[in-house]
Amino acid sequence: MSYTKNIPAENLKSFEKIADWNVYYSKSIEAYKTQFPERDISLLEITIQNKIFTQEVLFNQTYECKLNFKNCYFTNNIIFYDTTFNARLAIAQSFCDIEIRIQENSTFKGEFDLIEVSVKKQMLVVDGNFNLCRWTLLDNPRLLIEGGDFKSLSIGFWGGGTIIEELNIKSNDISGYINIMGDKTILKELWIGGNADKVSITIEHISVCLFHIYGFRNDKTLRVSNIKAIKQESSSQFSIFGSYMGKSDFNSIDFSQFAEFFIKESNFIETSFINIVWPDNIYALTARRIGISDEDKLLEGKIKSLKYKQGFPHFYISTLKDNNKIRGYFSKEREVYRQLKYVMGKQGDTINEQLFHSKEMKSYFQSLTFKKDFWTKAVILFSDIFGDFGRSISRPIFSLLVGHFFLFLILINSNHFDNFRISLNYPNYDGFKYGVENYLFLINPLRRFDNNFHEYNIIIDLLMRIWSTYMLYNFVRASRRFIK
């Protein structure tokens, strides 16, 4: 339905219908020259207000004066082709029924402002040479930027806020600077791709549902800060897929707000992450709307079922892990966590460095098989259970006391101690005191060798020393994890 249907009947009479824009423009210029023959046309400012353009509006010539469209209705396309604007062009509080298209040989020497312009279908930028651009679009159109040289493009500049169904930036043929901004700017989908060797992109203070960095190579500047996740018809996602992030900056973002977070087959060793809240799970999977196959969907279901398993240890061994593709997935996930660990360490973020080291080891564990890598899996498993890879102090202390107690019970039942038994029927304080003294004495791995250990009890003594040493190592490792 055309936007003109929304015009109240009593106001419709105040609108003038125009069929040919260029004829209307030519008549305006001729009238000005007739009235002011000695004045320069560049000083003229034409305000086009309360107009309904019934045919396609084609800008295809050189426009010397300022043009201000206000409260206008375009019932067909607005097309820029082989045109030059020597002064400011502004379209404000206007409505386009189909699309705005900027094609080859379009030059904007002055400012180009789209101020709260409602577009039903899309705005497509194929090419052009732009000075200062400030655009705010409404009514959920698609905005596709495939080319153009921008001195500065600000999307969401005007206070009303931009509401866009999909913003897609294909960086290969774009140069200059693009800023996506505004607390009231809402993007249902944001796509960034291509080789950005001539364009710098800043994204700040916006709300987005699906944020995809796909097939992107950042050879210049990408800054993302203070973005928020919104929920629309489906869950929110943030994904980086098949991209080289270079020296990108991510600042003050709560990624846990997104329902799902994906990083797959990407390089972000040089990327900076400052003041970031990370989600519990980072998936090395293909995000929604990036051509995921049925087989990948099945794999995703298996991976998520493993992730959400409860119990101890928290990477419970499931028959699902016998699948080679699942082990291959965890190899990719391990690489993601390895890069994040490296980046956090380089930035001095010790806490998250330890966190991602723990996640890296768990993913590494999942990628191995007991048949081929039994001892490696055993070492990783023990390091997790008894210390969370140096992140837990309580686990080694608890494990030390409990494990040593069971070994101590074996010594008691093997009659290693004379006149000492465990009895619930005849307990006494002296026996309890004697037991505690020996329990604490034997827990010290550096005690002298005791000649009272004979036969199999020597093995128990050796196991006590090994157990205590290993648990104390995990305790020291955890207690000193913030000390470099």
Side-chain angles (χ1 to χ4, degrees):
M1 185 176 70
S2 174
Y3 283 116
T4 56
K5 301 296 183 181
N6 299 326
I7 303 175
E10 61 273 17
N11 296 337
L12 192 58
K13 295 180 180 179
S14 63
F15 284 82
E16 177 187 357
K17 291 186 178 181
I18 299 175
D20 192 319
W21 149 250
N22 283 309
V23 170
Y24 175 86
Y25 172 75
S26 298
K27 288 181 179 180
S28 299
I29 295 298
E30 289 175 4
Y32 179 79
K33 288 181 177 179
T34 301
Q35 186 176 3
F36 306 102
E38 296 181 357
R39 291 189 183 180
D40 190 346
I41 296 179
S42 62
L43 300 176
L44 174 63
E45 181 173 349
I46 299 178
T47 298
I48 306 98
Q49 187 170 2
N50 295 341
K51 309 295 182 185
I52 298 176
F53 294 89
T54 59
Q55 296 181 13
E56 182 178 86
V57 173
L58 175 62
F59 295 97
N60 62 347
Q61 58 181 285
T62 299
Y63 301 91
E64 299 288 348
C65 61
K66 295 181 181 179
L67 297 176
N68 293 323
F69 292 83
K70 188 173 183 181
N71 195 31
C72 292
Y73 288 77
F74 301 86
T75 61
N76 210 304
N77 297 319
I78 303 174
I79 298 177
F80 300 83
Y81 176 72
D82 198 14
T83 184
T84 300
F85 292 86
N86 289 328
R88 180 178 186 250
L89 168 64
I91 304 176
Q93 291 84 43
S94 296
F95 305 86
C96 178
D97 281 348
I98 304 180
E99 74 171 7
I100 301 173
R101 188 162 69 246
I102 304 175
Q103 298 181 215
E104 294 82 357
N105 301 320
S106 298
T107 300
F108 300 81
K109 296 182 179 180
E111 300 174 4
F112 179 21
D113 292 333
L114 298 176
I115 307 169
E116 298 178 359
V117 176
S118 297
V119 182
K120 275 198 178 295
K121 187 177 179 182
Q122 69 178 16
M123 177 175 177
L124 173 62
V125 182
V126 176
D127 196 8
N129 193 300
F130 302 85
N131 193 343
L132 175 61
C133 299
R134 296 169 294 190
W135 299 346
T136 295
L137 302 178
L138 303 178
D139 204 20
N140 292 314
R142 298 173 71 228
L143 173 55
L144 284 71
I145 304 176
E146 299 179 353
D149 180 11
F150 297 90
K151 179 179 180 180
S152 176
L153 167 60
S154 296
I155 299 173
F157 177 85
W158 303 102
T162 284
I163 304 175
I164 294 178
E165 177 72 26
E166 176 187 340
L167 171 56
N168 195 324
I169 300 175
K170 299 179 180 179
S171 305
N172 289 331
D173 298 317
I174 302 174
S175 60
Y177 175 68
I178 296 177
N179 183 18
I180 307 167
M181 57 184 290
D183 292 330
K184 296 181 180 180
T185 296
I186 299 174
L187 308 179
K188 291 184 179 179
E189 295 186 29
L190 173 58
W191 294 75
I192 299 176
N195 186 6
D197 58 344
K198 294 177 290 186
V199 60
S200 297
I201 302 173
T202 299
I203 304 167
E204 54 188 353
H205 303 289
I206 69 167
S207 298
V208 61
C209 182
L210 302 181
F211 192 140
H212 296 311
I213 300 174
Y214 175 58
F216 179 68
R217 181 177 180 84
N218 177 39
D219 288 325
K220 204 163 185 183
T221 302
L222 172 65
R223 293 190 178 93
V224 183
S225 64
N226 292 288
I227 65 171
K228 297 179 181 179
I230 57 173
K231 294 183 179 180
Q232 299 288 340
E233 301 83 9
S234 55
S235 59
S236 57
Q237 291 186 348
F238 188 101
S239 72
I240 302 174
F241 178 70
S243 298
Y244 170 76
M245 300 305 297
K247 296 182 178 180
S248 302
D249 293 329
F250 292 85
N251 187 21
S252 299
I253 304 173
D254 184 356
F255 283 127
S256 66
Q257 291 182 352
F258 290 89
E260 295 176 305
F261 190 93
F262 300 91
I263 300 179
K264 183 179 179 181
E265 298 173 4
S266 297
N267 184 316
F268 45 92
I269 288 292
E270 298 179 274
T271 301
S272 174
F273 296 94
I274 305 297
N275 192 25
I276 300 296
V277 178
W278 296 99
D280 292 333
N281 293 311
I282 299 177
Y283 296 103
L285 294 166
T286 303
R288 193 186 323 137
R289 302 251 293 123
I290 307 184
I292 183 171
S293 65
D294 292 337
E295 191 175 6
D296 288 338
K297 290 179 182 178
L298 181 61
L299 174 63
E300 179 178 342
K302 291 182 178 181
I303 295 300
K304 289 183 177 180
S305 70
L306 290 174
K307 290 280 188 180
Y308 294 133
K309 277 190 176 295
Q310 302 297 320
F312 188 84
H314 30 251
F315 40 68
Y316 171 72
I317 302 170
S318 166
T319 55
L320 290 174
K321 298 179 187 178
D322 295 334
N323 192 310
N324 289 331
K325 288 191 175 182
I326 293 179
R327 289 197 296 271
Y329 161 82
F330 281 109
S331 293
K332 294 178 180 178
E333 186 181 83
R334 176 203 171 192
E335 174 61 19
V336 171
Y337 289 131
R338 183 195 70 80
Q339 290 190 53
L340 287 173
K341 178 190 71 174
Y342 173 81
V343 171
M344 296 301 106
K346 186 172 63 173
Q347 295 175 182
D349 188 345
T350 306
I351 297 174
N352 281 317
E353 179 187 9
Q354 292 285 336
L355 170 66
F356 289 124
H357 171 71
S358 173
K359 290 180 177 292
E360 177 194 1
M361 290 297 100
K362 291 172 185 177
S363 297
Y364 184 43
F365 177 90
Q366 304 278 30
S367 68
L368 302 175
T369 63
F370 273 111
K371 184 176 181 180
K372 294 182 179 179
D373 306 284
F374 176 82
W375 290 111
T376 301
K377 285 182 74 81
V379 169
I380 297 173
L381 182 64
F382 291 159
S383 184
D384 177 58
I385 293 175
F386 300 120
D388 193 10
F389 305 101
R391 298 178 66 236
S392 174
I393 288 181
S394 60
R395 287 191 195 181
I397 294 176
F398 176 80
S399 301
L400 172 62
L401 297 177
V402 173
H404 184 72
F405 178 74
F406 281 110
L407 293 173
F408 188 68
L409 288 180
I410 295 174
L411 287 181
I412 294 175
N413 292 328
S414 64
N415 299 319
H416 174 74
F417 301 100
D418 295 333
N419 301 320
F420 178 64
R421 299 289 184 275
I422 294 179
S423 174
L424 299 178
N425 295 324
Y426 304 101
N428 62 82
Y429 176 75
D430 290 336
F432 175 76
K433 180 180 177 181
Y434 179 78
V436 170
E437 288 177 353
N438 280 275
Y439 174 84
L440 294 177
F441 173 76
L442 294 175
I443 208 171
N444 179 12
L446 301 180
R447 55 187 163 80
R448 294 183 179 181
F449 181 76
D450 192 344
N451 292 323
N452 293 325
F453 283 91
H454 302 287
E455 299 180 350
Y456 295 109
N457 286 343
I458 295 177
I459 298 177
I460 302 302
D461 177 45
L462 179 62
L463 290 176
M464 281 183 167
R465 293 174 187 270
I466 293 174
W467 184 259
S468 297
T469 301
Y470 183 61
M471 292 304 137
L472 289 173
Y473 162 76
N474 283 322
F475 172 79
V476 172
R477 180 186 179 190
S479 64
R480 293 177 58 85
R481 65 193 178 108
F482 299 118
I483 302 174
K484 290 284 187 177

